[in-house]
Amino acid sequence: MSPGKRRGILIGGALLVVVIVAAALFLLNSGGSAPEAATGATAVESPGALDPTSAITEYLQDLSENNPDAAGRLTDDNAAAVVALRSTRNTLNPVSVTGKLTVLQPTPAGAKKTSGTFSLSWTLKPGQVWTYDVPFELAQGGGRWLVHWAPSLLHPKLEAGQRLVISTAAQDTTAVVDRDGKPLVISGAGGVKPVEGNPAPLLRTAITGQITAAAAGGFAVTRVDAGGKSVETLFGKVAAEGAKPLVSSLSLAAQGAAQAAVDGYQGSAMLVALDTGSGDILAVAQNAAAGNAPKALNGLYEPGSSFKIATAVAAIQQSGLSAASPVDCPGVATIGTRTVKNEGFELGATTLQTAFARSCNTTFGQLALALPADGLKKAADELGLNADYDIPGLKTELGKVEPAASKDEQVEDGFGQGRIQASALGGALMAATVATGKAITPRLWHDLETTVVKGYSPPPAPVLGEVRKLMRAVVTSGTGHAAAAAGTVFGKTGTAQFGDGKQATGWFVGYRGDVAFAVVLENSNDSGPAVQLAAKFLKAL
């Protein structure tokens, strides 16, 4: 029987007894007339349990099931209990917690207090199980039994103002550094914390979560005072001084430039940067408007015309085109049964390079329709958008590109407005693949391996040589001209409408030297701000 069902039976049974007794007394006093239904009043259940055993048993069940709100309601200090239980659980981050009642003193009739002992067992990580006994007290109030709250319910030595933390070093030491050896995370008697300024807030959990697993055996639960000073190590042992810090792929310089760039934008903005040679994730940044969830790493959006990189790969590789090939770019065209429009321009007879640079939808809708049904998917596969990686500490999604279900959908896919999806990380990976001609394996660590769940093979070198010409023209003479002052930048803009078409996501995907990047602006309705944001980032580097 589940805890909830057992609790419901206890409470329900007690209420039934109360109702039967009340009804019997009424009948005795009124000569047998049935009572009229009460109106306008609803009984509110008081906190606590009907008997001592239920109170402590249910408290331990809620504690084990990670339900601090329910456990707190079974104590005589709900607010303090909930805060302490939730904070401790989040800090120790256990695999599981088990509480078991071991001793409960008999409760004579009429007694208002009792006490006992329960055991608490924390499975903190494989092979690290911390078990100890905890004395407790129960008191009755208003006919209900409550657990008396005190910090010692978390550990018998824990006093008011103190807390439990995970420690990996006897004193503050650098636990994680960036790729250049600059400190990112400090670990010590006060726990694990980022360096001043919290330079990579989106990756804080990912980074700190890997520390204890790689800290050369250092792992301890420490009791600290209100100021974070260690009072006593309660479990495990700290690492010996001089333990080697983990090396992350992040660059503090790139991360700072990326964060400053997105913070300077009023709407929702995200930016990911990769090292094209090593696959290092150099920066992952979002501003406050984008929220706290790491959408830059796993949020999937229609990529709009930034997906024309893949359409160009497919047209060059599968249809035999080159950057200089003649194409047609009318302002409006009926392609299949779809009416496709450009953003207020037409080029007429032109070249693939110019159509790409100016982002001509009618050209790329026609190119897509001429491909096999799986032609765009094959190109997306070769650019890594359907790849999958297991990066320690991160949940990532690169993209989702499937064969078109119809010719109309194939036309829309050609300029990224069909069912095509990509993340900012996927966009940066696509750009890095074009830059290097190699399959890129993104990584967050130099010490911990990224697992390739589903890899990919890049397009042939001659194909990518033509695509690079197209991407350079975007900046020198096309829609990405605002990035020209940031150096030799290669890129592709994109604007993807969604919903009822009144809102659109802005993209700029590209690379400069050994840095590939993707900027995604939610609801920007224009790719121009994305280009400007990328230029700001690149200039800061």
Side-chain angles (χ1 to χ4, degrees):
M1 183 182 295
S2 70
K5 288 183 178 180
R6 180 165 56 251
R7 187 179 304 173
I9 290 172
L10 290 171
I11 295 171
L15 290 175
L16 182 60
V17 171
V18 172
V19 170
I20 292 172
V21 172
L25 290 173
F26 188 92
L27 289 171
L28 288 172
N29 293 331
S30 62
S33 300
E36 296 182 4
T39 59
T42 302
V44 178
E45 181 181 329
S46 300
L50 294 174
D51 60 85
T53 301
S54 296
I56 190 60
T57 300
E58 291 172 18
Y59 170 83
L60 293 175
Q61 288 172 343
D62 292 330
L63 180 64
S64 301
E65 295 168 4
N66 193 19
N67 191 345
D69 293 313
R73 287 193 293 270
L74 288 160
T75 74
D76 56 8
D77 194 343
N78 183 11
V82 170
V83 170
L85 291 171
R86 180 176 290 118
S87 175
T88 302
R89 186 93 179 211
N90 291 340
T91 299
L92 300 188
N93 192 25
V95 176
S96 64
V97 178
T98 303
K100 292 183 179 180
L101 177 63
T102 53
V103 177
L104 178 61
Q105 298 298 330
T107 310
K112 299 293 184 180
K113 292 184 178 181
T114 189
S115 61
T117 304
F118 62 81
S119 69
L120 201 56
S121 183
W122 302 75
T123 301
L124 298 170
K125 65 175 184 175
Q128 298 281 4
V129 181
W130 183 30
T131 303
Y132 51 87
D133 291 332
V134 178
F136 67 88
E137 294 181 351
L138 298 166
Q140 188 185 46
R144 313 284 290 187
W145 285 88
L146 294 166
V147 180
H148 174 60
W149 174 256
S152 58
L153 283 181
L154 291 168
H155 190 278
K157 290 187 175 182
L158 202 63
E159 301 174 2
Q162 297 180 349
R163 56 193 172 90
L164 301 176
V165 300
I166 293 291
S167 298
T168 59
Q171 57 186 6
D172 282 353
T173 185
T174 301
V176 179
V177 296
D178 79 344
R179 69 202 304 253
D180 300 316
K182 298 176 181 178
L184 278 174
V185 175
I186 302 299
S187 179
V192 176
K193 57 187 177 182
V195 296
E196 186 176 356
N198 192 17
L202 281 179
L203 302 178
R204 178 173 179 175
T205 300
I207 292 173
T208 59
Q210 302 304 310
I211 294 173
T212 56
F219 185 90
V221 181
T222 303
R223 177 165 61 109
V224 301
D225 62 19
K229 182 179 179 181
S230 177
V231 176
E232 179 183 6
T233 296
L234 299 173
F235 174 74
K237 63 179 181 179
V238 296
E241 292 186 22
K244 185 180 179 181
L246 283 173
V247 180
S248 81
S249 69
L250 292 177
S251 160
L252 273 174
Q255 181 65 38
Q259 195 64 52
V262 297
D263 286 344
Y265 182 73
Q266 290 187 345
S268 173
M270 57 197 81
L271 188 157
V272 173
L274 297 176
D275 181 279
T276 60
S278 63
D280 278 2
I281 298 174
L282 301 175
V284 180
Q286 289 178 192
N287 60 7
N292 297 321
K295 295 185 290 186
L297 295 172
N298 52 46
L300 295 179
Y301 302 86
E302 291 180 353
S305 291
S306 67
F307 187 72
K308 288 174 183 172
I309 295 173
T311 308
V313 166
I316 293 168
Q317 184 175 358
Q318 300 172 36
S319 300
L321 273 65
S322 70
S325 292
V327 295
D328 189 33
C329 176
V332 181
T334 299
I335 308 173
T337 64
R338 283 286 187 267
T339 298
V340 180
K341 299 180 181 180
N342 295 327
E343 292 294 324
F345 71 92
E346 63 177 88
L347 303 176
T350 186
T351 64
L352 179 62
Q353 178 170 303
T354 301
F356 187 91
R358 293 289 300 278
S359 202
C360 185
N361 290 338
T362 53
T363 300
F364 280 82
Q366 295 174 74
L367 293 176
L369 186 61
L371 296 169
D374 63 348
L376 290 175
K377 179 187 181 300
K378 287 182 177 178
D381 285 345
E382 293 179 333
L383 292 169
L385 286 180
N386 284 325
D388 186 19
Y389 300 96
D390 186 358
I391 305 173
L394 297 182
K395 177 184 178 183
T396 61
E397 293 282 351
L398 299 176
K400 184 178 181 182
V401 182
E402 299 174 341
S406 67
K407 287 295 184 180
D408 286 341
E409 185 177 288
Q410 191 167 324
V411 169
E412 294 172 349
D413 285 352
F415 46 92
Q417 282 286 177
R419 293 190 300 131
I420 306 295
Q421 291 184 313
S423 68
L425 176 61
L429 186 95
M430 178 170 62
T433 303
V434 174
T436 64
K438 299 178 181 179
I440 304 298
T441 300
R443 61 176 184 169
L444 182 61
W445 303 101
H446 288 187
D447 314 84
L448 308 172
E449 293 293 328
T450 292
T451 300
V452 179
V453 179
K454 181 182 179 182
Y456 69 102
S457 298
V463 173
L464 290 179
E466 295 299 307
V467 175
R468 292 180 193 122
K469 296 177 185 177
L470 306 183
M471 293 179 67
R472 181 64 182 139
V474 169
V475 179
T476 58
S477 60
T479 54
H481 186 66
T488 307
V489 181
F490 298 71
K492 184 67 191 82
T493 56
T495 305
Q497 295 177 335
F498 60 91
D500 60 5
K502 295 180 180 179
Q503 299 292 325
T505 302
W507 286 76
F508 188 49
V509 171
Y511 64 92
R512 186 193 70 182
D514 58 1
V515 177
F517 61 86
V519 175
V520 180
L521 307 181
E522 294 181 298
N523 305 327
S524 68
N525 299 321
D526 186 6
S527 62
V531 178
Q532 294 168 2
L533 196 154
K536 181 179 180 180
F537 164 69
L538 293 171
K539 288 177 181 178
L541 289 182

